[in-house]
Amino acid sequence: MECHNCESRQRQFYCHNCIRAHLRDFRLQIQHVAADRDEQVRKAIAAIDAISESRIRRAEISSSQERLDELNEGLAKLRRENDKSDQTTSSSLTRKLATRRRTVSQAKLLPPAPLDPMITREAAQLNTRSETIARARSGLVSELMEVFNIVEVGGRPPIGGKAGTKGEWTIGDLVLPVPGDIRRYPPDHINAVITHTLHFIGLLTFYLGIRLPFEITWTGGKLGVGQPWIRSIKGTESGSWAKWTSKHCLHVSASSPAPVADAPAPLVQSTSDSYIETRQPPNPSSSFTTAYAMLLYNVCYLAHTQAVEVPLSQAGDVLSNLWAVCCSAELGRRSHQTYPLLPPPTPPTFPLDFAQLLQATAATPTSRPRPARPRTTGTHKNRNQIPEEDEWDLLDDADEGSPSLT
């Protein structure tokens, strides 16, 4: 409405009922629009949530890419620094190496400088003590040879262009035959001479300080008491002997045929064959053959430690090889216990292979025909006559729990 005085349009006034009607209409309009607004807000929130996940993933990818770029840049920088440092180090090492070579060349041209008097004196004392120990060992070994009376009987030296013949070696007046002749002797003789030989080897290795590849044990717990058994100690693969850890008996009895000479050749074709026999029912012949081969291998290694090389063809001459050991010029100079020290048995310089020795022992023929012994009458008997027995057997590997000799 217009003011009659100022002719200006003024605010319109409503009555209470009109205002109420207007408010009702306005609320209705607001309610209709609020429903549409809530629907739009819900749709907008859902769209924003989907967009947020995608944006977060893109942000993470972007952040990872930035981190990767930083790492690549740092890696390239480190490579450049390392290359530079390597070049510097290589140049420095090359210069040092050239300097050392020049120094060595100049040192070779100079006369040798005198040694420190103290070092010279200590070395001289050490050599003197080594010589003294070697002489003491030689004396003990000489006495040991006299006690056991290891000698060669029979035989003939070369005369008038004729070749000589070898005699039989005895220990304690008992003949120790080569493997092919063992069947010609009675079991009591073989057991006695093997016991003497084992006793002699035990004392000899004790005097010389030598550790043998195969150790001897006795069922009685002491040296010479009971029956001897033999097996390998811990060692390396050199010589193919260390795998023979099962015990084999060096004792025979008189109930079945003898093994060594009449055994089918070869009794043992390889190391693995004889190793498997310990898992199967024991074969007395093969067991004694293996045990005797172990004894031969011990003697050959003992000779090697004293600078006496025994070829495979002579490995069966046990007493002859022991005599050569006792007469060696290097006797007592090398040991496992004193200076100079020996490597553990057996070093690569020891050429004898146990598998080859075992095959040779199993298939060794008799060395030579035994001469006929004169018959005696009455109570007088030839002292050297040995009765021949064809029937005797060998003990099997029954006693695995026998104590070792220490």
Side-chain angles (χ1 to χ4, degrees):
M1 79 183 172
E2 297 180 356
C3 180
H4 297 287
N5 296 324
C6 62
E7 296 180 358
S8 297
R9 195 170 183 84
Q10 301 294 327
R11 185 173 180 182
Q12 189 175 2
F13 294 95
Y14 296 93
C15 66
H16 181 72
N17 292 330
C18 292
I19 291 173
R20 183 180 294 175
H22 283 296
L23 290 175
R24 184 176 63 251
D25 295 339
F26 186 70
R27 287 193 184 97
L28 291 175
Q29 293 177 359
I30 289 175
Q31 289 177 358
H32 179 69
V33 174
D36 294 340
R37 182 199 63 195
D38 293 340
E39 182 66 21
Q40 295 298 327
V41 168
R42 186 183 62 77
K43 292 179 179 180
I45 292 174
I48 290 173
D49 292 340
I51 294 172
S52 298
E53 294 179 359
S54 177
R55 292 178 64 186
I56 291 173
R57 286 197 297 270
R58 287 198 298 270
E60 292 177 351
I61 293 173
S62 177
S63 176
S64 300
Q65 185 64 37
E66 291 178 358
R67 179 61 179 168
L68 180 60
D69 294 339
E70 292 178 359
L71 292 176
N72 289 333
E73 183 179 356
L75 180 60
K77 183 178 179 180
L78 288 176
R79 285 178 178 174
R80 290 192 298 270
E81 293 177 355
N82 289 337
D83 292 340
K84 184 178 180 181
S85 177
D86 291 341
Q87 292 177 359
T88 304
T89 304
S90 177
S91 301
S92 176
L93 292 177
T94 303
R95 290 192 299 270
K96 289 181 179 179
L97 180 59
T99 303
R100 290 181 179 180
R101 286 179 177 175
R102 289 194 299 269
T103 303
V104 171
S105 300
Q106 295 175 0
K108 289 181 179 179
L109 299 176
L110 296 176
L115 296 176
D116 188 353
M118 181 176 294
I119 297 177
T120 305
R121 184 171 59 255
E122 294 294 337
Q125 291 178 358
L126 182 59
N127 293 331
T128 302
R129 290 178 181 176
S130 298
E131 292 293 336
T132 303
I133 292 174
R135 287 194 299 270
R137 287 171 171 169
S138 299
L140 291 174
V141 171
S142 298
E143 295 179 0
L144 189 64
M145 292 283 290
E146 294 179 1
V147 169
F148 282 86
N149 191 26
I150 298 181
V151 295
E152 183 181 13
V153 296
R156 178 180 59 79
I159 301 176
K162 296 181 179 180
T165 58
K166 292 184 177 180
E168 293 178 328
W169 284 88
T170 63
I171 178 172
D173 296 331
L174 296 176
V175 175
L176 178 60
V178 296
D181 289 338
I182 288 182
R183 66 179 298 273
R184 298 176 180 271
Y185 292 82
D188 292 341
H189 178 97
I190 297 299
N191 293 334
V193 72
I194 287 179
T195 300
H196 288 342
T197 305
L198 294 179
H199 193 183
F200 178 82
I201 293 175
L203 292 175
L204 181 60
T205 54
F206 175 75
Y207 292 156
L208 298 180
I210 303 298
R211 185 167 54 253
L212 297 177
F214 295 97
E215 67 174 354
I216 305 294
T217 59
W218 297 80
T219 56
K222 295 181 180 180
L223 179 63
V225 180
Q227 301 167 359
W229 295 73
I230 187 170
R231 65 177 175 183
S232 67
I233 62 175
K234 293 182 180 180
T236 61
E237 294 296 329
S238 178
S240 69
W241 58 269
K243 63 179 68 175
W244 298 79
T245 56
S246 60
K247 292 183 179 180
H248 296 271
C249 188
L250 272 172
H251 185 81
V252 295
S253 62
S255 62
S256 66
V260 179
D262 293 340
L267 273 177
V268 180
Q269 297 181 355
S270 66
T271 301
S272 60
D273 294 339
S274 181
Y275 188 70
I276 293 175
E277 73 180 5
T278 61
R279 305 170 185 263
Q280 299 174 351
N283 184 346
S285 298
S286 178
S287 179
F288 180 80
T289 303
T290 304
Y292 200 74
M294 292 177 178
L295 176 62
L296 301 183
Y297 195 82
N298 272 355
V299 174
C300 293
Y301 174 69
L302 176 61
H304 173 77
T305 61
Q306 306 304 312
V308 177
E309 298 301 331
V310 178
L312 180 62
S313 59
Q314 300 178 7
D317 298 327
V318 176
L319 296 182
S320 176
N321 296 333
L322 290 175
W323 175 270
V325 170
C326 297
C327 296
S328 172
E330 298 295 325
L331 182 67
R333 298 182 183 276
R334 292 183 291 177
S335 168
H336 284 108
Q337 301 173 355
T338 57
Y339 179 84
L341 297 178
L342 284 172
T346 54
T349 55
F350 183 55
L352 186 59
D353 185 82
F354 178 72
Q356 297 178 357
L357 178 60
L358 181 58
Q359 289 183 354
T361 304
T364 298
T366 56
S367 60
R368 58 188 176 278
R370 289 180 54 81
R373 302 278 184 182
R375 295 181 176 271
T376 57
T377 59
T379 58
H380 177 70
K381 295 183 180 179
N382 188 350
R383 180 183 179 187
N384 294 327
Q385 182 177 3
I386 299 175
E388 295 191 5
E389 297 185 8
D390 293 333
E391 300 295 330
W392 49 282
D393 88 1
L394 312 165
L395 297 183
D396 56 11
D397 299 349
D399 188 4
E400 286 293 333
S402 58
S404 61
L405 175 63
T406 57

